[in-house]
Structure formats: structure tokens, C-alpha cells
Amino acid sequence: AKEEGRNKVQHFDDQMLAKARRRRRISDALRVALPQQQFSLVYQPIVDLQTRKVVKAEALIRWQCPKLPGVGPAEFIPVAEDLGLIQEIGEWVFQQVALMARDINMQLAEPIQISINKSARQLTAGDSSALWLERLASLNVPAHWIGVEITETLLLDGRPSVQNALWRLRQGGVQLSLDDFGTGYSAMSYLLRFELDYIKIDQSFIRDVVRPRGRAIVEAIVVMAHKLGLRVIAEGVEDQRVLSILQEMGCDYVQGYYFSPPLAQADFLSWVQRESV
Ligand code: C2E
Ligand code: CA
Ligand code: CA
Ligand code: CA
């Protein structure tokens, strides 16, 4: 038994070491990613459940790292935050999304809103709201073509500067979504304090709507959101069964592989044009 215990400790140490090493390699590679143009964005359609039309999309970052193929944002964004690189990356994402929104909406009859993921650290590092609104104006991009997705972590930050940054963005016409709803640790008090537009229910809840308890929770969130004047986006919808349950309970928008995975800009545009005829 002693031997076994030692093996377990050894295994644990090895795992920690491997993790630290991988993080180190990601850090080193991340520093050159932006200057070497290794980032790109993909866009996932968000469908209005009432009209079955694509009305929004979420921009998601991708990294073509020559040394670490296949590393996803869930892994490298937290590292970028620790390295203090998130601000720069975030500005790049914003610029790309603004240009993309202008580009595609010139070719579409009904404009589509593109949303950007904004990490908590990004907003606490400084208020770029005024700059963003100015840049949109100078590019002739109406602010309502852009959305920002924030998480509960961010709203838990009690600082007035953070609240003001969000308030200014929204005053300027940028819509706000509360991302990953239900996965945080907080109470719901921030729903009292913040003016938001959408709640995005995390896919861990959406998957479970096929079971009575899971369904009860999502249904309750939808009712609460509507009473607060918010609309609901369901994330990670992968099949027809989940989709029809969400439709029954009056969920407003859906996003997920059932409709489409995230797509490159050109593919996204042709997908939208095909879907809306
Ligand atoms: P998120 O904001 O919750 O994004 C949704 C994730 O679910 C995306 O993963 C998306 O590709 C994936 N997804 C979409 N539909 C389905 C589905 O039907 N089933 C399943 N299983 N997954 C689905 P992705 O692209 O790997 O992004 C992971 C996370 O990385 C995002 O979670 C977000 O927190 C972060 N992220 C992505 N892009 C950016 C960015 O530009 N800036 C910042 N700060 N964070 C980003
Ligand atoms: Ca998101
Ligand atoms: Ca999410
Ligand atoms: Ca997530």
C-alpha cells in the first residue's frame, strides 16, 4: 500500500510538471502570436427561434500556432490574461469584428450583430469604451451591430470603473450579454445592479433540458429573464430534441452545432445567404 501511495504521488508530480511545461510553451509561443499574425476569428451563427433566421453571431478566436497545433482559446486565453497580453489581443479582436460587421452587413438585407468575448481582466485593465465607440463611428459601423459578452466574474468586481465602462458601452448602443449564465459562484444580485440585454445559458444546462430537473431550471431562467426585460440565448444546442424543448419554453435564440459550428468569415456569409432565402 505504501508503494502504491508513492506511485500516486509520483504520478501527481509528473502531471503537475507536464502542466507547468505546457503552460510555459504556450506562454513563449503567445508572445509572438500577434506580431506574426497567427490569430484568426471564426463566427458562429445565432438563430432567432421565432423566425428561424440568423440574426447574430459570436466571434471566437483561433490560434494557428506552428509549435502547438490545436491549442484552443479555453486554454490560451487564461495564459494571455496572466501574461498581460489580453488587452492587445482584445483590441485586435475588436478591430477585426468591427471590419467584419461592416463588410458582411453591406451585403445583407438584415444586419447581423456580431458579439465579442470580453474577459474580466480585459475590462479591469482599463476602460476602452470611449475608444471603441469612437472607432466604430469612424468606421461607420452602427454600435448596435456589435455586442459584448461578459461573465459573472466581471460583474462581481464591485469597482465603479468597471460598472461605468459597461454602462458607457451600452449607452453608446453596444448590447451586452451575460455569458455562461449559471456557472458562476455568485448570487444573482448583479442582475439588480446591471443593465443588460441578453442572458446566455451555458451549454452544461442546455444539454440537460431533456430531463425534468434540467428542464425546470432552464424554464425558470427563461421566465426570470423575460420578467427582467432580458432575452435568452441558449448555447451548445446540438440536437433537434433539445431545440424543440427550448422552443416550447419560449427561449429566444439558439446557438450550437445543430445549426452550425463556428465558420470562417466567407463561409459564414454564404451560410447566412443560403439560410435566409
Ligand atoms: P464561450 O464564450 O462560452 O464560447 C462557446 C464555446 O462553445 C466555443 O468554444 C464554441 O466553439 C463552443 N460551441 C459552440 N457550439 C457548441 C455545441 O453545440 N457544442 C459544444 N460542445 N460546443 C459548442 P471555443 O471557440 O473553443 O471557445 C472557448 C472559450 O474561449 C469561449 O467560451 C470564451 O470564453 C473563450 N474565447 C473564445 N474567443 C475569445 C476571444 O476572442 N476573447 C476572449 N477574451 N475569450 C475568448
Ligand atoms: Ca461567449
Ligand atoms: Ca458561453
Ligand atoms: Ca464557456
Side-chain angles (χ1 to χ4, degrees):
K2 219 174 191 178
E3 184 60 25
E4 199 178 295
R6 229 188 334 264
N7 282 340
K8 263 188 191 151
V9 170
Q10 182 61 44
H11 180 66
F12 182 72
D13 284 350
D14 288 350
Q15 266 187 334
M16 294 293 283
L17 204 65
K19 249 190 178 164
R21 246 192 234 121
R22 176 155 174 94
R23 209 178 159 83
R24 185 63 214 251
R25 292 182 64 201
I26 292 175
S27 301
D28 291 343
L30 259 182
R31 289 176 210 280
V32 299
L34 204 53
Q36 295 189 0
Q37 302 179 348
Q38 293 168 358
F39 291 123
S40 60
L41 291 176
V42 285
Y43 301 90
Q44 188 174 33
I46 299 175
V47 174
D48 183 328
L49 264 185
Q50 229 144 49
T51 61
R52 291 283 173 137
K53 281 190 175 154
V54 186
V55 288
K56 304 173 186 302
E58 176 176 7
L60 294 156
I61 197 166
R62 295 292 178 261
W63 179 20
Q64 284 76 44
C65 179
K67 288 184 188 139
L68 300 155
V71 57
E75 193 176 7
F76 72 75
I77 289 289
V79 182
E81 289 177 334
D82 287 347
L83 293 174
L85 291 172
I86 195 63
Q87 199 73 3
E88 259 180 281
I89 294 173
E91 291 307 312
W92 178 84
V93 170
F94 168 75
Q95 184 70 17
Q96 293 300 114
V97 166
L99 294 174
M100 184 275 189
R102 188 177 65 172
D103 233 51
I104 62 155
N105 284 333
M106 280 195 299
Q107 302 173 67
L108 295 170
E110 300 285 339
I112 285 179
Q113 182 183 69
I114 312 295
S115 65
I116 297 169
N117 286 284
K118 203 155 183 181
S119 83
R121 300 263 196 102
Q122 209 175 324
L123 250 167
T124 49
D127 183 4
S128 50
S129 316
L131 199 70
W132 279 24
L133 292 171
E134 271 170 40
R135 291 241 289 283
L136 291 178
S138 71
L139 289 170
N140 277 319
V141 174
H144 67 265
W145 287 3
I146 305 297
V148 168
E149 301 192 4
I150 54 177
T151 55
E152 292 170 333
T153 324
L154 183 56
L155 297 185
L156 277 175
D157 186 308
R159 273 175 292 179
S161 60
V162 173
Q163 300 189 20
N164 288 339
L166 290 173
W167 185 81
R168 269 196 289 274
L169 266 184
R170 192 163 182 275
Q171 280 301 105
V174 173
Q175 290 198 311
L176 301 181
S177 301
L178 184 53
D179 204 355
D180 299 344
F181 186 78
T183 59
Y185 302 97
S186 60
M188 283 184 259
S189 59
Y190 47 75
L191 288 178
L192 275 174
R193 287 185 282 127
F194 288 96
E195 303 265 355
L196 301 164
D197 299 286
Y198 306 97
I199 282 179
K200 296 190 80 171
I201 306 179
D202 194 71
Q203 94 193 24
S204 56
F205 289 98
I206 296 307
R207 223 182 280 130
D208 278 344
V209 295
V210 292
R211 299 187 311 178
R213 289 157 73 99
R215 183 180 177 139
I217 290 175
V218 173
E219 216 160 357
I221 297 174
V222 171
V223 170
M224 177 193 68
H226 286 166
K227 284 191 175 168
L228 290 168
L230 303 166
R231 274 160 296 165
V232 178
I233 303 170
E235 297 192 291
V237 175
E238 293 182 350
D239 59 74
Q240 173 66 53
R241 216 166 126 226
V242 166
L243 182 72
S244 42
I245 293 171
L246 290 168
Q247 183 141 32
E248 247 172 67
M249 59 172 77
C251 176
D252 305 284
Y253 307 97
V254 286
Q255 173 182 359
Y257 297 159
Y258 177 75
F259 285 105
S260 170
L263 303 167
Q265 178 171 336
D267 298 329
F268 174 80
L269 184 62
S270 44
W271 195 88
V272 173
Q273 286 169 329
R274 201 171 50 237
E275 288 299 301
S276 58
V277 290

